[in-house]
Amino acid sequence: SRPSTGDPRGRNKDSNTSHSVVVRIRPPCDEEQPIALWVAEDSKKHLFCGRGSVIEEYSFSRVFDNQDTNSTVFNCIHGHAIVDSVLCGFSETIFAYGQTSSGKTHTIFGSDQEAGLMQEFVHALFQAKEQSRGSRHLVELSTFEVLNDTLTDLV
């Protein structure tokens, strides 16, 4: 059982941390050939990568396939619990990592057709704030890009 800390995710503000590592397979672009990546449908925790005659298996907290939306990702990583945790005074980090054109920008910032995780979190944050009238919260948000050893503030 989780300690009673007031944190929706059950962490101790001073010492205990939790993390998960999720992977998202982005849909191929129009001119791209499909790549040999697939998700174990029974658990959604294993990623298989075909490399010629060799099939490699990798395990993660959760694997999202190319049909999953940003909203699905937000809900599956317990986005609302992360927002509640922030409103309880905990620091939270969402970190996107990958090679160029792997889908980081689409996942974090979205597109004209789909909101990204940033919009999902901001919407949920203001929705939670609206429901907790009378409470005062100071929320600080930082968005950075690290590219070629250069740190850029995106806000």
Side-chain angles (χ1 to χ4, degrees):
S1 74
R2 293 181 164 186
S4 177
T5 62
D7 175 28
R9 298 195 334 150
R11 293 169 302 164
N12 180 314
K13 200 171 187 178
D14 298 322
S15 62
N16 191 13
T17 60
S18 65
H19 68 277
S20 60
V21 178
V22 301
V23 172
R24 183 173 191 196
I25 302 171
R26 72 162 174 80
C29 297
D30 293 336
E31 65 280 349
E32 268 183 336
Q33 294 295 320
I35 54 175
L37 289 174
W38 64 96
V39 179
E41 290 299 322
D42 58 335
S43 71
K44 295 274 192 177
K45 293 185 178 216
H46 300 278
L47 174 69
F48 295 93
C49 178
R51 297 189 185 271
S53 62
V54 176
I55 297 176
E56 299 172 348
E57 179 181 357
Y58 302 93
S59 297
F60 299 94
S61 303
R62 176 70 153 79
V63 179
F64 298 96
D65 66 24
N66 58 9
Q67 302 300 312
D68 289 316
T69 64
N70 288 334
S71 181
T72 299
V73 173
F74 177 80
N75 289 318
C76 289
I77 65 171
H78 307 288
H80 290 285
I82 293 171
V83 167
D84 291 343
S85 178
V86 167
L87 293 176
C88 287
F90 289 83
S91 295
E92 295 286 353
T93 301
I94 305 297
F95 183 77
Y97 177 82
Q99 68 186 40
T100 300
S101 297
S102 62
K104 301 174 300 295
T105 300
H106 173 74
T107 299
I108 298 297
F109 296 108
S111 66
D112 291 340
Q113 296 79 31
E114 180 181 12
L117 291 182
M118 177 79 76
Q119 292 92 332
E120 295 277 357
F121 276 106
V122 169
H123 180 263
L125 182 65
F126 280 97
Q127 193 173 41
K129 174 69 177 112
E130 184 66 28
Q131 292 172 357
S132 65
R133 290 180 188 236
S135 299
R136 294 190 67 191
H137 298 97
L138 172 64
V139 176
E140 295 178 3
L141 170 72
S142 301
T143 305
F144 295 100
E145 175 185 60
V146 178
L147 180 63
N148 298 328
D149 295 328
T150 302
L151 180 69
T152 304
D153 187 347
L154 298 177
V155 175

